[in-house]
Amino acid sequence: MKTVILNADDFGVSVPVNDAIEQAHRDGILTTTSLMVTGAACADAVARARTMPRLGVGLHVALAEVPPALPPERIPDLVDANGMFRIEALGTSLAILLRPAVRRQLTAEIEAQFRLFVATGLPLDHVDSHKHMHMHPAIASVVIAVGQRFGMRAGRAPIEPRAVIRKVEPVKGVDIAAPFARRVRTKLRRAGMKAPDHVFGLAWSGGMTPDRLRGILRHLPEGTSEIYLHPATGDYPLAAPGYKYQEELAALLDPAAREIIARGGIRLARFSDL
């Protein structure tokens, strides 16, 4: 049996993103979304989610680009002089691995983000992270350990079947994240949590056009797949250069994609349906 979760990342980062996610769920095939609890438009996102009970909302743990949940003085080793995350810097990434004090700061920040999600009153559908920072082994362990205390039951391990991608369109390079993603999937399942068998979105991050989404759906492998996108109705302050936000929205609204799902007997699902 083939099951697919259609997920939109970055819910709450901006109103154009929220607009697109609501439209893609109400009028398209979007089944879940991942909420940035410190995003500038988080309150707007939560208000919309409360009117869409069939939309599965998860926590998008954000350790880059958006502000932290905790005051900077509580997490001095994770932020720069402006109070913004610097976890992507090699020195900080290594410090998380090697220094227990830094891991305690990380744990406190991730716990604070879970608490903000709980405060929304929304059921927790799943957990993933902005820029897949939970591929870092220490971050993955913290997210899972904290998540167990907050009812986390499913997460993303971005293992992308490149053989399927190549049936749709030639791609260059190798998936260097795959070994880390497999370890994350193992950790999730050992903790009794669900993780999709396949995840699509890495090769075409920000470029999941209607043609590409149709191609993936036509060649969808057996088991459970997650396809994640970044829809938006227009540009916004944290928009990534080169991302085709409106085309990704068009992909989620595409009647041909819905027809492929129906003809193929593919089940649309949320993480909580697994």
Side-chain angles (χ1 to χ4, degrees):
M1 182 168 181
K2 297 179 181 180
T3 297
V4 65
I5 297 165
L6 276 300
N7 187 78
D9 284 358
D10 302 342
F11 196 35
V13 74
S14 73
V15 170
V17 171
N18 296 352
D19 283 339
I21 288 171
E22 180 170 2
Q23 189 177 349
H25 177 66
R26 291 190 186 278
D27 303 327
I29 56 175
L30 186 74
T31 59
T32 67
T33 187
S34 302
L35 178 68
M36 280 179 148
V37 292
T38 62
C42 179
D44 174 77
V46 171
R48 293 171 192 255
R50 288 174 179 153
T51 71
M52 297 182 285
R54 288 296 302 165
L55 178 65
V57 182
L59 172 61
H60 201 47
V61 173
L63 302 171
E65 297 186 337
V66 295
L70 291 176
E73 58 269 21
R74 291 273 310 276
I75 49 171
D77 292 300
L78 303 181
V79 297
D80 60 21
N82 297 315
M84 297 300 290
F85 285 119
R86 58 180 182 188
I87 294 174
E88 291 177 281
L90 178 60
T92 307
S93 180
L94 289 173
I96 290 169
L97 279 173
L98 301 174
R99 294 173 54 196
V102 179
R103 282 198 302 280
R104 285 194 291 271
Q105 293 176 38
L106 176 73
T107 300
E109 171 60 27
I110 290 174
E111 182 176 291
Q113 293 192 25
F114 270 93
R115 290 190 185 281
L116 286 175
F117 188 96
V118 169
T120 70
L122 298 171
L124 180 63
D125 183 74
H126 63 277
V127 177
D128 52 38
S129 69
H130 188 47
K131 306 180 84 169
H132 288 147
M133 291 185 72
H134 69 296
M135 293 303 99
H136 184 296
I139 296 176
S141 296
V142 171
V143 167
I144 291 169
V146 174
Q148 286 180 307
R149 294 192 276 115
F150 286 89
M152 175 182 172
R153 293 176 180 164
R156 176 189 296 165
I159 303 169
E160 186 168 62
R162 288 298 173 97
V164 174
I165 294 292
R166 285 191 287 270
K167 289 178 183 178
V168 180
E169 187 180 306
V171 291
K172 297 179 180 179
V174 296
D175 181 5
I176 60 173
F180 300 97
R182 281 192 285 270
R183 290 191 193 101
V184 169
R185 185 172 68 182
T186 298
K187 287 182 177 183
L188 286 166
R189 291 179 174 176
R190 282 178 178 168
M193 299 176 184
K194 301 289 186 181
D197 304 300
H198 323 286
V199 175
F200 297 93
L202 285 168
W204 297 322
S205 185
M208 190 65 74
T209 61
D211 283 345
R212 287 169 170 171
L213 181 57
R214 285 183 217 133
I216 291 172
L217 292 170
R218 287 191 187 102
H219 299 285
L220 200 71
E222 294 291 329
T224 299
S225 298
E226 178 194 1
I227 306 174
Y228 69 89
L229 302 91
H230 301 85
T233 56
D235 287 336
Y236 58 95
L238 290 177
Y243 270 41
K244 300 175 180 178
Y245 293 103
Q246 289 166 299
E247 286 195 53
E248 295 210 345
L249 173 58
L252 290 164
L253 297 172
D254 181 18
R258 188 187 291 275
E259 186 178 347
I260 292 167
I261 290 168
R263 280 203 320 264
I266 298 168
R267 181 176 71 131
L268 282 173
R270 303 167 297 181
F271 286 86
S272 57
D273 297 324
L274 300 182

